[in-house]
Amino acid sequence: MSDFTLSCPAPILSEERILLAHGGGGRLMHQLLERVFLPAFRDPALEERHDGAALEINGVRLAFTTDSYVVRPLFFPGGNIGDLAVNGTVNDLAMCGARPLYLSAGFILEEGLAVETLRRVTDSMRAAAERAGVRLVTGDTKVVDQGHGDGIYINTAGIGVIEAPWEISPRRVEPGDAVLVSGDLGAHGVAILSVREGLEFEAPIPSDTAPLWPPVAALLAAGIEVHCLRDLTRGGLASALNEIAQARGLLISLEEAAIPVSEPVKGACEILGLDPLYVANEGRFVAFVPQSQAARALEVLRSVPVSAGAVQVGSVLEENTAAVVLRSRVGGRRVVDMLSGEQLPRIC
Amino acid sequence: MSDFTLSCPAPILSEERILLAHGGGGRLMHQLLERVFLPAFRDPALEERHDGAALEINGVRLAFTTDSYVVRPLFFPGGNIGDLAVNGTVNDLAMCGARPLYLSAGFILEEGLAVETLRRVTDSMRAAAERAGVRLVTGDTKVVDQGHGDGIYINTAGIGVIEAPWEISPRRVEPGDAVLVSGDLGAHGVAILSVREGLEFEAPIPSDTAPLWPPVAALLAAGIEVHCLRDLTRGGLASALNEIAQARGLLISLEEAAIPVSEPVKGACEILGLDPLYVANEGRFVAFVPQSQAARALEVLRSVPVSAGAVQVGSVLEENTAAVVLRSRVGGRRVVDMLSGEQLPRIC
């Protein structure tokens, strides 16, 4: 150590305590991943930095994924923590090109929670599981003392069968790929914040929470050579694209005019001071496909209700520059960086 | 409703709010399961009431399970929340007769947690995963605001390949089965409580947390016709046996003199006012095997270090009486009931 550390500092976290931003899907979360979790667990599946792990067990190709849900408030326009916990994990499987089959559910309940609230949440989970075609097959419940939880936290893990005949992964993205998004952005984040801040808009903006396997299945069935898929949750489109740009050292260019944001969400974001590029979605994804198949892919996506608003928003330009740039309506270019944390904590 | 409800009350929970006891592995937890979770999710795999779900995917037989860990304190003699989270889920897979293969890990961190604490926990998880021969392949991290967590909560879910050639399940238990336990009881609960209460015993009592696949694999390799396995976590031996007795309508008889409890644990339980029959273990299990194979099964178990202290503690007597009875040293019999909750909250 001694002098050596002066010129070559050890990779310690800039913050020695956990901040809310460490859970926000941005730069601090990636630091935590790179400096604590990846070195501790050192597993090639984790290093893929995908939404789930691709495993092969006795010749069967499976995807396996997990997410905990700590959204506040528990109920919001268009959904609640229960359907969010089902759809979120179903979508991580779909992003691996896997048909979602089975979910587990782990509940951490806070002492004092109304049983009726729990029942409303489990009812939503059942309905969401039915809609997504998955079975909830195993579970666990823990109770923590009042003041050490927030009503209900839910973890779901999921297993799916990989149906994509080729690998769908960030490392398949290449220059020339078209960048497609499956619909308008920002509704989930705005739905949460409107309740949290007690704001009322002219029309309530419901969360976009929905299962995303149907559009992925349609792309695969149509023979579209999908390179990579990612759902646009914590950190929104900007964070998802930055992750992929950095993982592969690619320059991704976006056209501001092409990015779909509904008028109500646009208005709400202006009032709330949010950039829709960074706002979380729970029923939207980005797909990287060869430019030659982009038109056909959009046609396929638009034939499925949840992705009826699919559009191309940009392209992958070149290798050796890890960045996301946005070409504005007036022709200027700016770098779309990764935020430190999230604009909104506890969004999912 | 009206008069009818007098003679046939609707199945509502006796408590309309969640109590710590709802997470304790006892009667209230079973009520919650029966009245909220099972009706909501209605899945045959859940209704098996096993430690995990047995699934078949394209001809491969898998076990899938999940547990959240909210133990307090995070560190205790013999372990911490990290190795507990690995061993606990590994053991649920083993109890399904499955070789544990893959784990997911979902972290709920409380704002303000020292990163160094997290690092100690993840290091323990890696060591435990290596010891148990499993890979930690996918994960997730959420951060909750200070005062809405307790440092670290961890959920792990696990996938294993079922190697038992026959079904291992509560419904296979039958009159004439021998009831074996794999070693002395109560160390985990006493280890936790000693730290929590600031008690010091002459010799510190370490938790028994350990992976249990090796003894299960040994039983299967020796051709022992294992009917049912259950690890003796929340609620201890008494709760595990009551669950099985009730699921199958069986009378299980225990010999008090045969139940292994170490002298230090016995002494600590006397001081703390605990009954070792109800104290949680994290490295002990009960096995139901035909009486004709009990001697051989014990020989096999004793050949594996973690189950070197295996003994027969009782037998399954008859059908049509769902109860567990204990024959005391002086010949009396008493019913060993299920507690409402746990003697100790947040034990795992």
Side-chain angles (χ1 to χ4, degrees):
Chain A
M1 305 301 272
S2 69
D3 288 9
F4 183 68
T5 55
L6 287 174
S7 55
C8 178
I12 53 163
L13 287 169
S14 54
E15 296 294 335
E16 290 296 311
R17 298 211 162 252
I18 294 294
L19 309 174
L20 278 172
H22 280 116
R27 191 173 292 120
L28 280 172
M29 197 173 92
H30 285 88
Q31 277 187 13
L32 196 65
L33 190 64
E34 276 162 23
R35 296 179 185 179
V36 178
F37 292 113
L38 293 181
F41 299 137
R42 288 193 225 111
D43 194 281
L46 278 175
E47 273 147 31
E48 284 285 316
R49 310 288 288 274
H50 203 9
D51 282 342
L55 311 172
E56 189 168 320
I57 303 182
N58 296 354
V60 177
R61 291 162 65 227
L62 299 178
F64 182 32
T65 189
T66 190
D67 262 320
S68 298
Y69 299 84
V70 300
V71 66
R72 185 168 56 89
L74 297 175
F75 297 85
F76 46 81
N80 64 54
I81 192 171
D83 38 39
L84 202 64
V86 170
N87 290 336
T89 293
V90 157
N91 292 348
D92 281 345
L93 294 171
M95 297 303 115
C96 300
R99 176 184 297 277
L101 292 179
Y102 299 105
L103 295 190
S104 66
F107 294 85
I108 298 178
L109 308 179
E110 187 184 12
E111 184 187 18
L113 174 77
V115 171
E116 189 48 36
T117 304
L118 177 61
R119 209 176 253 134
R120 284 172 63 200
V121 167
T122 54
D123 283 348
S124 294
M125 290 180 82
R126 178 190 51 220
E130 279 171 6
R131 182 176 169 200
V134 294
R135 283 172 57 192
L136 231 152
V137 291
T138 189
D140 174 58
T141 306
K142 295 290 188 304
V143 180
V144 292
D145 5 355
Q146 210 148 19
H148 287 294
D150 204 358
I152 306 179
Y153 297 147
I154 303 177
N155 175 285
T156 49
I159 301 178
V161 163
I162 298 178
E163 296 198 349
W166 49 78
E167 191 193 13
I168 292 179
S169 145
R171 68 169 143 180
R172 295 278 326 279
V173 176
E174 53 188 52
D177 279 359
V179 180
L180 317 180
V181 300
S182 68
D184 61 301
L185 302 180
H188 177 71
V190 167
I192 297 288
L193 200 63
S194 66
V195 196
R196 217 187 273 172
E197 304 290 316
L199 296 175
E200 276 185 46
F201 300 111
E202 280 170 38
I205 296 169
S207 165
D208 55 358
T209 177
L212 294 174
W213 171 243
V216 174
L219 287 173
L220 297 177
I224 304 292
E225 201 197 316
V226 178
H227 287 163
C228 184
L229 300 167
R230 179 134 319 180
D231 54 347
L232 304 174
T233 55
R234 281 184 285 181
L237 179 65
S239 305
L241 293 183
N242 265 289
E243 274 177 32
I244 290 164
Q246 281 162 26
R248 286 278 288 107
L250 291 168
L251 180 64
I252 299 174
S253 172
L254 297 176
E255 297 295 321
E256 188 174 31
I259 293 170
V261 183
S262 74
E263 283 307 318
V265 167
K266 206 175 289 176
C269 281
E270 275 166 20
I271 294 169
L272 296 165
L274 298 175
D275 181 343
L277 276 180
Y278 292 92
V279 176
N281 312 273
E282 291 291 338
R284 297 290 180 261
F285 66 102
V286 62
F288 291 80
V289 303
Q291 183 62 54
S292 60
Q293 299 184 22
R296 174 80 186 114
L298 288 173
E299 208 176 288
V300 170
L301 287 173
R302 289 173 186 156
S303 72
V304 181
V306 75
S307 51
V311 289
Q312 178 166 356
V313 295
S315 336
V316 179
L317 291 189
E318 54 178 56
E319 287 176 307
N320 305 321
T321 312
V324 180
V325 296
L326 182 76
R327 213 169 61 172
S328 76
R329 282 165 219 270
V330 293
R333 274 175 185 264
R334 67 174 173 91
V335 170
V336 177
D337 214 348
M338 197 174 254
L339 298 184
S340 281
E342 230 294 26
Q343 298 180 109
L344 308 169
R346 296 186 54 192
I347 199 78
C348 60
Chain B
M1 305 300 272
S2 70
D3 288 10
F4 184 67
T5 55
L6 288 173
S7 54
C8 177
I12 50 163
L13 287 169
S14 54
E15 297 294 334
E16 291 296 311
R17 299 210 163 252
I18 294 294
L19 309 174
L20 279 172
H22 280 116
R27 190 174 293 119
L28 279 172
M29 196 173 91
H30 285 89
Q31 276 186 15
L32 196 65
L33 190 64
E34 276 162 23
R35 297 179 184 179
V36 177
F37 293 112
L38 292 181
F41 300 135
R42 289 191 225 110
D43 193 281
L46 277 175
E47 273 148 32
E48 283 286 317
R49 311 287 286 274
H50 203 8
D51 282 340
L55 311 171
E56 190 168 319
I57 303 182
N58 295 354
V60 177
R61 292 161 66 226
L62 299 177
F64 182 33
T65 188
T66 190
D67 261 321
S68 298
Y69 298 84
V70 299
V71 65
R72 186 167 57 86
L74 297 176
F75 298 85
F76 46 81
N80 64 55
I81 191 172
D83 39 39
L84 202 65
V86 170
N87 289 337
T89 294
V90 157
N91 292 348
D92 282 345
L93 294 172
M95 297 303 114
C96 300
R99 175 185 298 276
L101 292 179
Y102 298 105
L103 296 190
S104 66
F107 294 85
I108 298 178
L109 307 179
E110 187 184 13
E111 185 187 17
L113 174 75
V115 171
E116 190 46 39
T117 305
L118 177 61
R119 212 176 251 135
R120 284 172 63 199
V121 168
T122 54
D123 284 348
S124 295
M125 291 179 81
R126 179 193 48 221
E130 279 171 7
R131 182 176 171 200
V134 294
R135 283 174 55 193
L136 232 151
V137 291
T138 189
D140 174 58
T141 306
K142 294 292 190 303
V143 180
V144 293
D145 5 356
Q146 210 148 20
H148 287 296
D150 204 356
I152 307 179
Y153 297 148
I154 303 177
N155 175 285
T156 49
I159 301 178
V161 163
I162 298 178
E163 296 198 348
W166 48 78
E167 190 193 15
I168 292 180
S169 145
R171 69 170 142 178
R172 297 275 327 279
V173 176
E174 54 188 49
D177 278 359
V179 180
L180 316 180
V181 300
S182 66
D184 60 302
L185 302 181
H188 177 72
V190 167
I192 297 289
L193 200 63
S194 66
V195 196
R196 215 186 274 169
E197 304 291 315
L199 296 176
E200 278 185 46
F201 300 111
E202 279 169 44
I205 296 169
S207 165
D208 54 358
T209 177
L212 294 173
W213 171 244
V216 174
L219 287 173
L220 297 177
I224 304 292
E225 201 197 317
V226 178
H227 287 165
C228 184
L229 299 167
R230 179 132 320 177
D231 54 347
L232 303 175
T233 56
R234 281 185 284 183
L237 179 66
S239 304
L241 293 183
N242 265 288
E243 274 177 31
I244 290 165
Q246 281 163 25
R248 287 278 289 107
L250 290 169
L251 181 63
I252 298 174
S253 173
L254 297 177
E255 296 296 319
E256 187 176 32
I259 294 170
V261 183
S262 74
E263 283 307 319
V265 168
K266 205 175 288 176
C269 281
E270 274 166 22
I271 294 169
L272 296 164
L274 298 174
D275 181 343
L277 277 180
Y278 293 91
V279 176
N281 312 272
E282 291 291 337
R284 296 290 180 263
F285 65 102
V286 63
F288 291 81
V289 303
Q291 183 63 54
S292 60
Q293 299 184 20
R296 173 83 185 112
L298 288 173
E299 208 175 290
V300 170
L301 287 173
R302 288 172 188 158
S303 72
V304 180
V306 74
S307 51
V311 289
Q312 177 165 357
V313 296
S315 334
V316 180
L317 291 187
E318 53 177 58
E319 287 175 309
N320 305 320
T321 311
V324 180
V325 296
L326 182 77
R327 214 169 61 171
S328 76
R329 283 166 218 270
V330 294
R333 276 176 184 261
R334 67 174 173 92
V335 170
V336 177
D337 216 347
M338 198 175 254
L339 298 184
S340 282
E342 229 294 23
Q343 298 179 111
L344 307 169
R346 297 187 51 193
I347 199 78
C348 61

